[in-house]
Amino acid sequence: MSLPVYDTSRDGPAIAVEGLYKRFGKTHALRGLDLTVPAGTVCGLLGPNGAGKTTAVRILATLAAPDAGRVRVAGFDVVHQADQVRRSIGLAGQHAAVEEGITGRDNLHLVGRLHHLGARGARHRADELLERFGLTEAADRLVRTYSGGMRRRLDLIASLVTQPAVLFLDEPTTGLDPRSRNAIWTTIRELSASGTTVLLTTQYLDEADRLADDIAVVDHGRLIASGPPEQLKSMIGTRVEVTLEDAAQLAAAATVLAALTGGEPISDHADRRIAAVTDPGRKITLPQLIRELDTAGVSALDAALGRPSLDDVFLTLTGQNTHTQDDNVLERTA
């Protein structure tokens, strides 16, 4: 089966957001959000919990109405042309929205019929997608018997029944095993290569780093940075990381790193590791780092300087950490 190829050469951005506001009571979820996503690309939408990511996706998918601002998806206004938007998009939310009391195949048939594909068209599309995503053998089992990874794959398949030009994925791999995550990553890459535009929210920064052509970082309802991952990494300084012999020396090491980098160190007590990112333009050498640690009486098993990660960018921009794939969460050093 081959994916449809979308001709976007005559169109503007697949997603265009200008001055988007949304309020829930006294809570301002979005405060003038601006976002542009070129057609046929993958955009990673990142931000701390409560930053407004899910609210933005809901508005883009016509599930919520904006209070102010202009939003166009696939060339259509989400308020005044909501029906056209819905015919152009697919959505897979944070939790699999599939019916557990029927089979996987029937779930896809139902989606196809709801989108007016007709009985024959719905069956044909379901068969194509089940084969492509490796669910043919499980297609006639009740969904309640599926594993978590299989349910997430079925949910993603359901969002593709209508061959959408724009696909919204809200944390699609949360809780999945590595094999299932890799399968969804492969699918996202193939969809992008075929011309589908993908807006991806994720708590896994390695996922965004691997998949996204561009990253948009949102905090307090506003866009605070955007660009390709490598461009964002170049905005901050050098990553400094030290592994200690004794976790009791983390506080002393933090004092050294703070003085050398100008940044706020974060530590991992379990691994006796501490890291910081230098202020932009600040230079530091490995011999200088070793010398300062020795002077402070800190015994290091390993010390390294390297390029910052997307986690470092996120922390620098938002002041918060996010969970990485291995759940090895760093804490600020007191």
Side-chain angles (χ1 to χ4, degrees), residues 3-279:
L3 290 168
V5 178
Y6 295 102
D7 179 9
T8 58
S9 59
R10 295 169 295 176
D11 299 330
I15 300 171
V17 179
E18 301 176 29
L20 182 58
Y21 283 83
K22 183 63 179 179
R23 180 176 175 176
F24 299 98
K26 296 182 179 180
T27 301
H28 293 268
L30 298 172
R31 301 168 179 261
L33 178 67
D34 297 312
L35 178 66
T36 301
V37 181
T41 65
V42 178
C43 176
L45 187 62
L46 307 180
N49 290 336
K53 305 184 300 298
T54 296
T55 298
V57 170
R58 287 180 57 80
I59 292 173
L60 291 167
T62 75
L63 298 176
D67 293 332
R70 296 183 58 192
V71 184
R72 296 182 69 84
V73 175
F76 301 108
D77 186 281
V78 299
V79 174
H80 303 293
Q81 298 172 299
D83 288 344
Q84 291 96 318
V85 172
R86 293 182 190 117
R87 287 195 289 268
S88 304
I89 66 172
L91 170 66
Q94 294 181 18
H95 306 286
V98 290
E99 175 54 55
E100 297 186 353
I102 60 177
T103 68
R105 191 187 306 276
D106 285 342
N107 264 277
L108 300 185
H109 286 172
L110 178 60
V111 173
R113 295 300 298 273
L114 289 174
H115 285 86
H116 309 294
L117 294 185
R120 182 175 180 181
R123 285 196 302 271
H124 178 68
R125 183 65 175 153
D127 291 344
E128 284 184 328
L129 291 170
L130 288 165
E131 180 179 357
R132 177 174 184 78
F133 286 87
L135 286 177
T136 300
E137 292 185 3
D140 297 311
R141 285 168 40 196
L142 296 180
V143 172
R144 67 166 60 102
T145 69
Y146 284 18
S147 67
M150 292 170 67
R151 293 187 193 194
R152 294 299 289 161
R153 273 192 287 164
L154 182 65
D155 191 42
L156 179 57
I157 291 173
S159 72
L160 300 176
V161 167
T162 58
Q163 302 180 345
V166 179
L167 179 62
F168 299 111
L169 301 178
D170 195 9
E171 300 192 10
T173 63
T174 297
L176 296 187
D177 60 83
R179 181 176 180 181
S180 296
R181 288 185 74 201
N182 285 330
I184 289 181
W185 287 0
T186 298
T187 300
I188 293 172
R189 293 189 187 100
E190 291 176 350
L191 288 168
S192 177
S194 72
T196 297
T197 304
V198 179
L199 181 67
L200 168 75
T201 74
T202 178
Q203 63 175 314
Y204 302 119
L205 298 191
D206 65 318
E207 183 167 86
D209 206 357
R210 295 187 189 190
L211 294 176
D213 299 294
D214 289 290
I215 300 290
V217 183
V218 178
D219 197 13
H220 298 294
R222 297 187 180 94
L223 182 71
I224 60 173
S226 64
E230 293 305 313
Q231 178 182 318
L232 293 182
K233 293 174 190 176
S234 70
M235 292 169 51
I236 63 177
T238 302
R239 176 179 176 82
V240 181
E241 186 171 305
V242 178
T243 302
L244 306 177
E245 290 185 357
D246 186 354
Q249 294 186 321
L250 281 169
T255 300
V256 173
L257 263 63
L260 286 174
T261 66
E264 184 175 356
I266 53 176
S267 63
D268 182 336
H269 289 264
D271 289 341
R272 307 184 309 281
R273 190 174 76 241
I274 189 164
V277 177
T278 64
D279 289 338

